[in-house]
Amino acid sequence: MNKKILILGSGFAGMWAAISAARLVHLNNAQNIDITVLAPQPELRVRPRFYENNVASLVSPLEPLFAATGVRFMAGSVYKIDIKEKIVWYKDAQGETVLITYDRLILATGSIARRAPVTGVDKYTFDIDQLESAQLFEKHLSSLVKMEPTEARNTVVVCGGGFTGIELATELPSRLSALFGIDSKIKVIVVERGGTIGGRYSEALRDVIKQASEELGIEWRLNAEVASIDETGVMLKDGNHIATSTVVWTAGVQANSLTEQFSTQRDNQGRLYVDENLQILGIPDVYATGDVAYAASDDVDNIALMTCQHAIQLGKFAGNNAAASVMALTPIPYRQVNYVTCLDLGSWGAVYTEGWDQKVKSVRNEAKKIKIAITNELIYPPKAERDIAFAAADPLAKFV
């Protein structure tokens, strides 16, 4: 009977885990190993670009790639994992309960936005976390054109000044101007709990974000917390009210809830602790990768972030090592020493940094070209040709 490697999730980590596992199986001419991806859809949703317009186009089909590399796809939504019996239960496309067994399991189910316990947050806010929610936000923006041009209509409040919040906020002035007209009085406000713009970043990077914000006319409310949200706008805890018809929540992210099915250590974002080969600590034959993995990226205490930059490489190592385990081969310890930040800043341009200390290397148009190369090319699936895909899936191949 063939050995089974089962990968849950078809995002960046899941897709690359599958191709990497298939690569190692092919290199070793192993005929008795099946590789299956189980996910709701056979597609890669390019989530890092969901702050952009026309999000429906930001999807890449994966069936041609899987067919070219010998990976099987099954459509379904997982709801239970039994590590003792090595069984996964899921609902198929018809809503029927189905089970599938495995010899090695790779959890690559990603993350979701974490909503704070704020009154009105579920009813009166949008998010751009998933394709469907980003489409709802896009539809809402388009619907504003039919409304009376009041200050509330022309004001968008972004709750959270992290990476996603900054990219969305800096993109909004041009999106709103295209909708309302270039002469419209548009206001974009970022509500941030911290006391500094871009407080999570290096001083050099913060300075660039601040400059871009000022030139784009973006207002930052620092040391501010949301008390409640309703149809009239946002009430802050300091008593100030912001009149708006559009509130977007970008503060906080949490690993997929399937991580809760494992009785082992998780971090405060729900990520599972893994060893250097990305096997979940204390859980034999089960690997975690991408946003569900708490993994050391180097030997100086840097931890992989919940970004596609890390998910892509984590996926390659997890797939390789799961396949190596089945074939009794030596695994390759996960290491991702190089780290870059490329932050889109709307019509102002972008900023590109290198290293964990985030040294600014380029800004404005030069950085924008780098950003476009990354988000429009580098992070997309490889061409659906076996040799090309396998070369890209090598965990030791140069990435960034």
Side-chain angles (χ1 to χ4, degrees), residues 357-377:
D357 55 352
Q358 295 178 323
K359 293 181 179 178
V360 174
K361 295 296 183 178
S362 62
V363 298
R364 290 193 183 268
N365 291 337
E366 181 183 351
K368 192 79 163 186
K369 292 177 183 178
I370 298 172
K371 180 69 174 182
I372 291 172
I374 291 172
T375 58
N376 292 39
E377 300 174 24

mmCIF file of all heavy atoms in Angstrom, residues 357-377:
data_model
loop_
_atom_site.group_PDB
_atom_site.id
_atom_site.type_symbol
_atom_site.label_atom_id
_atom_site.label_comp_id
_atom_site.label_asym_id
_atom_site.label_seq_id
_atom_site.Cartn_x
_atom_site.Cartn_y
_atom_site.Cartn_z
ATOM 1 N N ASP A 357 17.180 44.357 11.023
ATOM 2 C CA ASP A 357 17.273 45.721 11.532
ATOM 3 C C ASP A 357 16.666 46.734 10.563
ATOM 4 O O ASP A 357 16.663 47.931 10.816
ATOM 5 C CB ASP A 357 18.723 46.096 11.849
ATOM 6 C CG ASP A 357 19.656 45.907 10.654
ATOM 7 O OD1 ASP A 357 19.209 45.347 9.627
ATOM 8 O OD2 ASP A 357 20.823 46.305 10.753
ATOM 9 N N GLN A 358 16.143 46.247 9.447
ATOM 10 C CA GLN A 358 15.364 47.034 8.488
ATOM 11 C C GLN A 358 16.086 48.305 8.018
ATOM 12 O O GLN A 358 15.631 49.428 8.192
ATOM 13 C CB GLN A 358 13.991 47.384 9.074
ATOM 14 C CG GLN A 358 13.139 46.153 9.315
ATOM 15 C CD GLN A 358 11.805 46.460 9.941
ATOM 16 O OE1 GLN A 358 11.707 47.334 10.787
ATOM 17 N NE2 GLN A 358 10.758 45.753 9.542
ATOM 18 N N LYS A 359 17.228 48.079 7.392
ATOM 19 C CA LYS A 359 17.947 49.196 6.795
ATOM 20 C C LYS A 359 17.298 49.567 5.474
ATOM 21 O O LYS A 359 17.125 48.729 4.588
ATOM 22 C CB LYS A 359 19.415 48.804 6.566
ATOM 23 C CG LYS A 359 20.195 48.583 7.856
ATOM 24 C CD LYS A 359 21.642 48.224 7.565
ATOM 25 C CE LYS A 359 22.419 48.021 8.865
ATOM 26 N NZ LYS A 359 23.834 47.629 8.618
ATOM 27 N N VAL A 360 16.918 50.819 5.338
ATOM 28 C CA VAL A 360 16.238 51.279 4.131
ATOM 29 C C VAL A 360 17.225 51.305 2.963
ATOM 30 O O VAL A 360 18.267 51.953 3.027
ATOM 31 C CB VAL A 360 15.622 52.673 4.345
ATOM 32 C CG1 VAL A 360 15.049 53.214 3.035
ATOM 33 C CG2 VAL A 360 14.536 52.614 5.413
ATOM 34 N N LYS A 361 16.849 50.591 1.896
ATOM 35 C CA LYS A 361 17.707 50.508 0.724
ATOM 36 C C LYS A 361 17.176 51.309 -0.458
ATOM 37 O O LYS A 361 17.955 51.781 -1.287
ATOM 38 C CB LYS A 361 17.868 49.037 0.307
ATOM 39 C CG LYS A 361 18.599 48.171 1.327
ATOM 40 C CD LYS A 361 20.034 48.634 1.503
ATOM 41 C CE LYS A 361 20.789 47.726 2.463
ATOM 42 N NZ LYS A 361 22.206 48.128 2.609
ATOM 43 N N SER A 362 15.860 51.434 -0.542
ATOM 44 C CA SER A 362 15.299 52.236 -1.621
ATOM 45 C C SER A 362 13.896 52.697 -1.242
ATOM 46 O O SER A 362 13.230 52.067 -0.418
ATOM 47 C CB SER A 362 15.263 51.458 -2.944
ATOM 48 O OG SER A 362 14.447 50.317 -2.829
ATOM 49 N N VAL A 363 13.485 53.803 -1.841
ATOM 50 C CA VAL A 363 12.168 54.383 -1.558
ATOM 51 C C VAL A 363 11.531 54.862 -2.856
ATOM 52 O O VAL A 363 12.151 54.859 -3.914
ATOM 53 C CB VAL A 363 12.257 55.558 -0.557
ATOM 54 C CG1 VAL A 363 12.791 55.089 0.790
ATOM 55 C CG2 VAL A 363 13.137 56.672 -1.123
ATOM 56 N N ARG A 364 10.301 55.286 -2.738
ATOM 57 C CA ARG A 364 9.514 55.874 -3.825
ATOM 58 C C ARG A 364 9.460 54.955 -5.053
ATOM 59 O O ARG A 364 9.175 53.768 -4.914
ATOM 60 C CB ARG A 364 10.029 57.269 -4.164
ATOM 61 C CG ARG A 364 9.747 58.308 -3.063
ATOM 62 C CD ARG A 364 9.995 59.710 -3.581
ATOM 63 N NE ARG A 364 9.793 60.724 -2.541
ATOM 64 C CZ ARG A 364 8.636 61.337 -2.324
ATOM 65 N NH1 ARG A 364 7.575 61.037 -3.052
ATOM 66 N NH2 ARG A 364 8.543 62.258 -1.374
ATOM 67 N N ASN A 365 9.714 55.469 -6.239
ATOM 68 C CA ASN A 365 9.509 54.708 -7.468
ATOM 69 C C ASN A 365 10.421 53.494 -7.579
ATOM 70 O O ASN A 365 10.013 52.444 -8.083
ATOM 71 C CB ASN A 365 9.695 55.612 -8.690
ATOM 72 C CG ASN A 365 8.598 56.648 -8.821
ATOM 73 O OD1 ASN A 365 7.505 56.457 -8.295
ATOM 74 N ND2 ASN A 365 8.876 57.743 -9.513
ATOM 75 N N GLU A 366 11.658 53.646 -7.117
ATOM 76 C CA GLU A 366 12.590 52.520 -7.186
ATOM 77 C C GLU A 366 12.088 51.360 -6.334
ATOM 78 O O GLU A 366 12.102 50.202 -6.756
ATOM 79 C CB GLU A 366 13.985 52.961 -6.709
ATOM 80 C CG GLU A 366 15.020 51.851 -6.775
ATOM 81 C CD GLU A 366 16.377 52.283 -6.239
ATOM 82 O OE1 GLU A 366 16.559 53.495 -5.977
ATOM 83 O OE2 GLU A 366 17.249 51.418 -6.072
ATOM 84 N N ALA A 367 11.632 51.682 -5.129
ATOM 85 C CA ALA A 367 11.101 50.648 -4.248
ATOM 86 C C ALA A 367 9.781 50.090 -4.785
ATOM 87 O O ALA A 367 9.475 48.913 -4.602
ATOM 88 C CB ALA A 367 10.901 51.205 -2.847
ATOM 89 N N LYS A 368 8.997 50.934 -5.441
ATOM 90 C CA LYS A 368 7.728 50.491 -6.018
ATOM 91 C C LYS A 368 7.968 49.417 -7.071
ATOM 92 O O LYS A 368 7.208 48.441 -7.171
ATOM 93 C CB LYS A 368 6.994 51.679 -6.631
ATOM 94 C CG LYS A 368 5.549 51.394 -6.994
ATOM 95 C CD LYS A 368 4.653 51.442 -5.782
ATOM 96 C CE LYS A 368 3.190 51.580 -6.160
ATOM 97 N NZ LYS A 368 2.318 51.776 -4.992
ATOM 98 N N LYS A 369 8.998 49.576 -7.859
ATOM 99 C CA LYS A 369 9.334 48.569 -8.869
ATOM 100 C C LYS A 369 9.663 47.235 -8.205
ATOM 101 O O LYS A 369 9.282 46.172 -8.701
ATOM 102 C CB LYS A 369 10.507 49.052 -9.720
ATOM 103 C CG LYS A 369 10.184 50.233 -10.625
ATOM 104 C CD LYS A 369 11.421 50.691 -11.379
ATOM 105 C CE LYS A 369 11.118 51.919 -12.235
ATOM 106 N NZ LYS A 369 12.345 52.408 -12.941
ATOM 107 N N ILE A 370 10.381 47.299 -7.089
ATOM 108 C CA ILE A 370 10.710 46.076 -6.359
ATOM 109 C C ILE A 370 9.446 45.435 -5.804
ATOM 110 O O ILE A 370 9.253 44.217 -5.883
ATOM 111 C CB ILE A 370 11.707 46.374 -5.217
ATOM 112 C CG1 ILE A 370 13.021 46.906 -5.783
ATOM 113 C CG2 ILE A 370 11.952 45.121 -4.369
ATOM 114 C CD1 ILE A 370 13.994 47.406 -4.724
ATOM 115 N N LYS A 371 8.584 46.280 -5.234
ATOM 116 C CA LYS A 371 7.322 45.775 -4.673
ATOM 117 C C LYS A 371 6.492 45.072 -5.737
ATOM 118 O O LYS A 371 5.963 43.976 -5.505
ATOM 119 C CB LYS A 371 6.532 46.934 -4.065
ATOM 120 C CG LYS A 371 5.197 46.526 -3.451
ATOM 121 C CD LYS A 371 5.384 45.685 -2.199
ATOM 122 C CE LYS A 371 4.052 45.406 -1.520
ATOM 123 N NZ LYS A 371 4.214 44.629 -0.278
ATOM 124 N N ILE A 372 6.369 45.666 -6.891
ATOM 125 C CA ILE A 372 5.586 45.074 -7.981
ATOM 126 C C ILE A 372 6.214 43.759 -8.432
ATOM 127 O O ILE A 372 5.506 42.775 -8.694
ATOM 128 C CB ILE A 372 5.469 46.065 -9.153
ATOM 129 C CG1 ILE A 372 4.579 47.249 -8.741
ATOM 130 C CG2 ILE A 372 4.905 45.386 -10.391
ATOM 131 C CD1 ILE A 372 4.554 48.384 -9.753
ATOM 132 N N ALA A 373 7.544 43.725 -8.510
ATOM 133 C CA ALA A 373 8.223 42.489 -8.902
ATOM 134 C C ALA A 373 7.950 41.369 -7.892
ATOM 135 O O ALA A 373 7.765 40.205 -8.264
ATOM 136 C CB ALA A 373 9.725 42.733 -9.030
ATOM 137 N N ILE A 374 7.903 41.726 -6.621
ATOM 138 C CA ILE A 374 7.649 40.724 -5.583
ATOM 139 C C ILE A 374 6.204 40.245 -5.627
ATOM 140 O O ILE A 374 5.930 39.036 -5.696
ATOM 141 C CB ILE A 374 7.969 41.313 -4.185
ATOM 142 C CG1 ILE A 374 9.473 41.527 -4.029
ATOM 143 C CG2 ILE A 374 7.462 40.371 -3.087
ATOM 144 C CD1 ILE A 374 9.854 42.273 -2.766
ATOM 145 N N THR A 375 5.267 41.192 -5.581
ATOM 146 C CA THR A 375 3.864 40.804 -5.426
ATOM 147 C C THR A 375 3.196 40.363 -6.723
ATOM 148 O O THR A 375 2.182 39.651 -6.683
ATOM 149 C CB THR A 375 3.047 41.959 -4.821
ATOM 150 O OG1 THR A 375 3.154 43.113 -5.659
ATOM 151 C CG2 THR A 375 3.543 42.291 -3.426
ATOM 152 N N ASN A 376 3.746 40.764 -7.870
ATOM 153 C CA ASN A 376 3.144 40.394 -9.146
ATOM 154 C C ASN A 376 3.854 39.229 -9.824
ATOM 155 O O ASN A 376 3.316 38.658 -10.780
ATOM 156 C CB ASN A 376 3.134 41.590 -10.104
ATOM 157 C CG ASN A 376 2.187 42.687 -9.655
ATOM 158 O OD1 ASN A 376 2.067 42.980 -8.473
ATOM 159 N ND2 ASN A 376 1.499 43.312 -10.599
ATOM 160 N N GLU A 377 5.036 38.876 -9.316
ATOM 161 C CA GLU A 377 5.797 37.805 -9.960
ATOM 162 C C GLU A 377 6.356 36.800 -8.952
ATOM 163 O O GLU A 377 6.008 35.614 -8.985
ATOM 164 C CB GLU A 377 6.952 38.398 -10.784
ATOM 165 C CG GLU A 377 6.518 39.337 -11.900
ATOM 166 C CD GLU A 377 7.692 40.015 -12.585
ATOM 167 O OE1 GLU A 377 8.805 39.457 -12.539
ATOM 168 O OE2 GLU A 377 7.511 41.106 -13.146
#
